[in-house]
Amino acid sequence: MYISRSIEILVGLFVAVGFVALFFLSMQVSNLSSINGDSGYNIKGHFSNIGSLKVRAPVSMAGVNIGRVTAIEFDTQSFEAIVTMTIESQYNGLPSDSSASILTAGLLGEQYVGLEAGGEDESLKEGSKLELTQSALVLEQIIGQFLFSSGSKEEN
Amino acid sequence: MMDLLQRLGVTSLSMLERLGRGSVFFLNILLSIPSVLVRPRLLFAQMYSVGVLSFSLIVISGLFVGMVLALQGFYTLSDFGAEGMLGVMVAASLVRELGPVVAALLFAGRAGSALTAEIGLMKATEQLSGMEMMAVDPVARIIAPRFLAGLLSMPLLATLFSAIGVLGGYFIGVGLLGIDEGGYWSQMQAKIDFSEDILNGLIKSVVFGLVVTWIAVFEGYDAIPTSEGVSRATTQTVVHSAFAVLLLDFILTALMFGDN
């Protein structure tokens, strides 16, 4: 069977275009370009309620993404959730008394961890524990409290 | 009544027999793949007829599927004021489901049926037995290069389908419906995970490519060597491939994305 050179070139082109498409999908469509290895340090925070926070949710400070949630565990002693966050190593000067709160992006958006800088000179290191944490707002509880308080006002 | 039972038995026995023959055939193909790698020119010729000739069909279908997704998604999402999520919706549905599945269905119709017809006709005109007479193994010479070409082309075509679809969604979403361009891409990048979505979609397309090409070459090889038999085999390739792809898609989706 004789195979002309142009067929080989076309097949080569086809394979090349296929790989360009894969490259496009991984770089432009997926998050591959924003993952830079495992370079970073882990910090932990204990929350009494994490709402619907998921692993891989962003960790942000002043609105800038500085890391990701890498693990969520349940502490059987204190009955709290332990959230492990990996902070990119370029942000290594965060004060050790920074506080973490679980916030929601928009009204229906995903939950993420927002860090608030403290005033301590010491900075957070691998394995540090965040002392000040604020749980996720659970909508049902807020509505419940609102109804309860408006009900007690009418009684007075 | 007895007649019906008898026919039921005959049909199921012959189905089992075909399944057995197909599996043995599959093993035979796998065993003769090394002989193809020694002569890559056979593979190139088949990559051309299986892959390159399906190229335009895949590109055009991918473009229109992406455009329709964007148009339909926009009307639903704008009810919730979530037009910014359009990119995520288009990309997720293409990369996870529509890319591999629709590309596999088109591939079965375009390349699978051609493979069956070609091999079936070779059998009907006794070219395959002629090869055997000359001590040339038809599985190694004819079947294995076609099988390997289909297996390699399908993931490329499915990836291309998804990529073109995302671009089609971009043209409609950003160009026509006026969604913010930065939001289209950045929301997509934030939500689409490389290993979770893109690699799983790629695995799906490899599995579909394997199954569709296997069905196509087996139907051709196993066809009744008459013109009617070849035409039946060609029809069965498309029908069986469509069933197999949709069934496997359900199973793979349940395995891959079932836990979240």
Side-chain angles (χ1 to χ4, degrees), chain A residues 1 3 7-8 10-11 14-15 17-19 21-22 24-33 56 68 110, chain B residues 41 44-45 47-48 51-52 55 91 153 156-157 159-160 162-163 166-167 185 188-189 191-194 198:
Chain A
M1 198 191 309
I3 297 154
I7 284 186
E8 285 183 3
L10 280 174
V11 172
F14 166 64
V15 175
V17 171
F19 276 100
L22 182 63
F24 168 78
L25 282 186
S26 38
M27 285 309 170
Q28 182 74 21
V29 175
S30 84
N31 56 355
L32 195 64
S33 52
R56 293 188 42 75
R68 282 192 180 279
E110 244 189 336
Chain B
R41 297 203 133 216
F44 290 149
M47 283 286 277
Y48 177 76
V52 177
F55 187 86
S153 302
L156 293 175
L157 290 172
T159 315
L160 202 68
S162 304
V166 169
L167 286 179
W185 294 118
M188 205 187 277
Q189 284 170 3
K191 289 287 193 320
I192 305 289
D193 187 54
F194 180 72
I198 294 190

Side-chain angles (χ1 to χ4, degrees), chain B residues 125-141:
Chain B
T125 53
E126 295 183 342
Q127 291 181 50
L128 294 185
S129 22
M131 280 187 167
E132 272 173 34
M133 297 281 277
M134 292 186 288
V136 176
D137 182 10
V139 173
R141 176 81 196 190

Side-chain angles (χ1 to χ4, degrees), chain A residues 125-145:
Chain A
K125 294 186 298 288
E126 168 73 34
S128 302
K129 188 187 158 196
L130 295 168
E131 297 299 337
L132 296 166
T133 59
Q134 191 193 338
S135 299
L137 291 175
V138 178
L139 207 58
E140 289 89 331
Q141 286 177 1
I142 300 169
I143 293 173
Q145 278 168 4

